Amino acid sequence: MKKRHEQKLILLSLFLWIALNVPFIYIFNQTDSSVFGFPSLYFYLFVVWFISILFSYIVLKKYF
């Protein structure tokens, strides 16, 4: 694997560590807010999860 791809995956890991850290979870953990009918916490978690899968797919697709 190229060094550039490794650096991108490390950057993704740091982003996920920050995005899924407790202070950010508390920001979206409000009972009265919703996005498209879903609680904002669930929407935030699934969006972050989807973005991480998409980004890792794009990085690894170029590798293989």
Side-chain angles (χ1 to χ4, degrees), residues 4-5 8 29 45:
R4 185 178 59 202
H5 297 309
K8 289 178 183 178
N29 191 16
L45 289 176

Side-chain angles (χ1 to χ4, degrees), residues 8-63:
K8 289 178 183 178
L9 292 176
I10 290 172
L11 185 65
L12 175 66
S13 299
L14 289 174
F15 166 73
L16 287 174
W17 182 70
I18 292 170
L20 298 176
N21 208 345
V22 174
F24 283 102
I25 298 295
Y26 282 150
I27 291 172
F28 294 99
N29 191 16
Q30 299 174 3
T31 58
D32 58 345
S33 65
S34 64
V35 179
F36 300 118
F38 297 106
S40 60
L41 175 64
Y42 295 154
F43 186 76
Y44 171 74
L45 289 176
F46 282 111
V47 166
V48 168
W49 180 54
F50 179 74
I51 289 172
S52 68
I53 291 173
L54 187 66
F55 185 77
S56 62
Y57 172 75
I58 291 169
V59 169
L60 293 175
K61 184 178 80 168
K62 293 179 182 180
Y63 172 68

